[in-house]
Amino acid sequence: VNDRVHYQHVTGVGAGMTDTSAWLLGEQVSPATRAAVISDLFTTRGIHLAFTLIPMGGTDFTVNGLPYSYDDLPPSQTDPSLQSFSIAHDQAYVLPVLRQVLAAAPREETFAVPWSPPGWMKANDSLNDLKHRGTLLPSAYAPLASYFVRFLEAYTQQGVPISAIAPENEPRAASAFPALNFPEPTEAKWLTEDLKPALAAADLHPLIYGSNTSWGSDNYARALAATAPASGLTGIAWHCYAGAPTVMSALHDAAPPLDQLVTECAPNLSSFAVPEVVIGSMRNWASAVT
């Protein structure tokens, strides 16, 4: 230990509250069991998960297997003023479970990220990103920023304030489940010219993390990191599915002020075991590991 070297502040370890997780806790167990599980997971009487990832809309883990956003429309229809925006889907069990988590652990960090914006905002008019065709339409830059504002305001009104956000989950996924092809120059432009001003106008101040993809995509992360502070980035988010956590140390050396998070790692899809991910990430400047 070198007491002259100061490392990162650590928020802790966390997990993702997907639609299926919230449904299992909110709909499939008794109130007593739910309270016990939440205590075991989120409080200092249990394992004290301190960081909860909250998907903005559907992911590859939804109860009925169907994707959704907060402004879904029939094909070829658009809603640039977001008149159809609604978080009604989440009011059944997602928000009640999150409120119970925050009641048990008031200092819980909440991190929200979409797998995809509404399909009408994208070139393929769909929530998926098959063949990388799901790019963000230029006409949707401002509406997507407003979409984030509406989500943050709606969740706060429902008793679930959001601490941090990211523009996109895995911006190179090309998947059949919800995804957005969001190249680094486009993400940086949108952050700088659309999201940052929209959040300021609404007096919202979440922490903002870019990239949100695997350690193996460090070129993407480095290019995005270079846009701070103009883009409003607090830091860079990572997944564990390719590469190694040492890329975070390299990024820290290049951009020391930026915070770093590991926001997703499923051990069955990674070459690392869970303890290796947690310890290796913390040793390489991650402030939270999910």
Side-chain angles (χ1 to χ4, degrees):
V1 174
N2 183 344
D3 62 7
R4 292 172 293 180
V5 178
H6 181 209
Y7 290 95
Q8 76 275 30
H9 170 82
V10 172
T11 298
V13 177
M17 187 65 76
T18 62
D19 185 63
T20 49
S21 297
W23 175 77
L24 286 167
L25 284 170
E27 300 285 319
Q28 299 300 301
V29 299
S30 68
T33 298
R34 183 185 315 116
V37 170
I38 287 175
S39 177
D40 287 346
L41 291 177
F42 295 100
T43 75
T44 54
R45 294 184 295 276
I47 63 173
H48 193 202
L49 296 177
F51 185 96
T52 298
L53 185 148
I54 301 170
M56 291 172 56
T59 71
D60 38 330
F61 293 101
T62 57
V63 172
N64 57 11
L66 299 176
Y68 65 92
S69 78
Y70 300 122
D71 198 338
D72 291 324
L73 297 174
S76 301
Q77 293 188 21
T78 62
D79 183 23
S81 60
L82 302 183
Q83 293 183 5
S84 297
F85 180 92
S86 173
I87 60 166
H89 172 279
D90 295 0
Q91 290 173 331
Y93 46 83
V94 177
L95 284 161
V97 169
L98 288 171
R99 282 193 292 266
Q100 191 165 350
V101 168
L102 292 178
R107 299 180 65 182
E108 186 79 6
E109 295 289 330
T110 51
F111 177 89
V113 57
W115 267 236
S116 174
W120 55 266
M121 294 188 183
K122 300 164 62 181
N124 63 351
D125 198 11
S126 174
L127 292 173
N128 68 50
D129 183 30
L130 292 173
K131 299 183 179 180
H132 285 306
R133 292 174 177 169
T135 55
L136 185 66
L137 294 169
S139 59
Y141 283 23
L144 180 57
S146 298
Y147 184 83
F148 270 75
V149 168
R150 292 285 297 274
F151 168 81
L152 292 168
E153 291 177 336
Y155 256 57
T156 298
Q157 290 169 1
Q158 290 292 318
V160 183
I162 301 298
S163 311
I165 57 174
E168 170 57 21
N169 176 76
E170 297 186 351
R172 295 175 169 177
S175 63
F177 57 78
L180 172 69
N181 181 14
F182 213 17
E184 171 272 319
T186 307
E187 182 174 337
K189 177 180 173 66
W190 178 75
L191 282 167
T192 304
E193 299 180 5
D194 297 283
L195 182 63
K196 186 178 175 182
L199 292 173
D203 197 25
L204 295 169
H205 307 282
L207 305 179
I208 303 173
Y209 292 82
S211 189
N212 209 37
T213 191
S214 289
W215 289 321
S217 298
D218 54 318
N219 288 337
Y220 187 108
R222 280 176 172 270
L224 199 59
T227 69
S231 58
L233 283 179
T234 305
I236 296 295
W238 301 93
H239 294 181
C240 73
Y241 304 123
T246 50
V247 302
M248 296 189 293
S249 284
L251 180 66
H252 174 80
D253 292 341
L258 292 179
D259 188 30
Q260 298 187 74
L261 310 171
V262 176
T263 55
E264 183 181 320
C265 189
N268 61 309
L269 299 176
S270 171
S271 59
F272 300 96
V274 170
E276 291 179 301
V277 172
V278 174
I279 295 169
S281 297
M282 295 295 186
R283 287 180 174 173
N284 286 278
W285 296 97
S287 62
V289 183
T290 305

